[in-house]
Amino acid sequence: ALATVNGWPVQSVLLRNGDTIALGSVKLQFWLSPTRQSGLRIWGMWVWIALFGILVAEIGLLAWLP
């Protein structure tokens, strides 16, 4: 089967959003949707609080040791 991308025959190509791939009489449009990041602000805050707690505990242990 002869494959074309945007009307040009290819064997391998890097696809970009909106490229049209034709395989015989079948035409497909390549498209990636934009990504959406979920809110990680609260998790990030808890991680920083935990790291700060570990730091304080280590400093306390070092001060307690002779």
Side-chain angles (χ1 to χ4, degrees), residues 5-30:
V5 174
N6 298 327
W8 295 92
V10 294
Q11 289 184 343
S12 68
V13 66
L14 293 175
L15 294 174
R16 295 174 296 180
N17 278 345
D19 283 350
T20 302
I21 306 163
L23 298 168
S25 63
V26 176
K27 291 185 179 181
L28 303 168
Q29 186 173 20
F30 177 78

Side-chain angles (χ1 to χ4, degrees), residues 30-53:
F30 177 78
W31 202 266
L32 295 174
S33 66
T35 59
R36 291 183 297 252
Q37 182 176 352
S38 61
L40 298 175
R41 183 177 303 226
I42 293 174
W43 281 103
M45 179 185 67
W46 283 112
V47 167
W48 284 109
I49 289 171
L51 288 173
F52 181 73

